[in-house]
Amino acid sequence: MLYLFETGDTITSVQLQGEVVLVRIGNKIHQFDFSGTKLQSKDSGVKTLVLPNAEVFTTMRIRNEVFCHYGSETWSYVLGERNLTAKTDESPEIKSPMPGKVVVVTCTEGTEYKQGESLMVLEAMKMENAIKAPYDCRVAKIHKNTGDLVKQGEVLVLLDRIDLEIT
């Protein structure tokens, strides 16, 4: 599995290959072999991996920022919002792109929203994902509320498209 991060002018990637993790920052590659490691997890969200050579790799997530520490270096990454909208911009239904839990509903029925504005936030596998308006719209009906568990493909919100009037 390959993850890409934007870090200013530098492209950063994290690639998982079994028990080996490759972190590439620009032209510098860090390889972490986690075979034979001990995972120590604390309630505070800090996860520590003790490598067989007694080196320590630590990660911590605070809201949308992830901190990684290894040796004398520390990296921090801001997790960006994923643009999760209906597959077709013409659909009046916004469906859940994945199974998860509704963390917060930021829209209200009858209110108008611009394209790209957040309508609600889903949580899946400890990641929060903003569900955004695919076009200028008015929320006709909210089908799911905060705390609801949803399956992939379930209707979350029903929209009315707002077309610009030509005068």
Side-chain angles (χ1 to χ4, degrees), residues 32-130:
F32 304 100
D33 186 352
F34 293 112
S35 56
T37 60
K38 298 177 194 172
L39 175 63
Q40 300 171 356
S41 184
K42 300 177 184 174
D43 292 335
S44 63
V46 176
K47 293 183 180 167
T48 302
L49 292 166
V50 181
L51 304 172
N53 61 1
E55 291 181 324
V56 177
F57 180 85
T58 305
T59 64
M60 178 174 65
R61 180 173 175 193
I62 300 174
R63 293 186 188 86
N64 69 333
E65 193 165 5
V66 177
F67 298 90
C68 300
H69 181 79
Y70 177 73
S72 63
E73 295 187 50
T74 301
W75 306 281
S76 68
Y77 303 98
V78 176
L79 302 172
E81 288 186 1
R82 289 173 27 188
N83 190 7
L84 302 173
T85 57
K87 288 187 186 208
T88 171
D89 285 345
E90 300 301 318
S91 174
E93 297 178 331
I94 299 297
K95 296 182 180 181
S96 177
M98 68 197 77
K101 180 180 179 181
V102 178
V103 177
V104 64
V105 177
T106 57
C107 62
T108 54
E109 289 182 7
T111 304
E112 294 182 1
Y113 295 90
K114 298 283 185 197
Q115 179 178 357
E117 285 188 273
S118 181
L119 301 175
M120 66 176 50
V121 177
L122 292 182
E123 179 185 278
M125 299 187 310
K126 305 289 183 189
M127 296 287 292
E128 291 185 354
N129 301 287

Side-chain angles (χ1 to χ4, degrees), residues 114-157:
K114 298 283 185 197
Q115 179 178 357
E117 285 188 273
S118 181
L119 301 175
M120 66 176 50
V121 177
L122 292 182
E123 179 185 278
M125 299 187 310
K126 305 289 183 189
M127 296 287 292
E128 291 185 354
N129 301 287
I131 305 299
K132 298 180 179 184
Y135 44 78
D136 292 350
C137 61
R138 179 179 302 108
V139 174
K141 177 121 176 87
I142 300 171
H143 288 272
K144 298 296 177 182
N145 296 309
T146 301
D148 287 351
L149 297 176
V150 296
K151 296 177 184 174
Q152 184 174 359
E154 276 191 81
V155 176
L156 302 171
V157 180

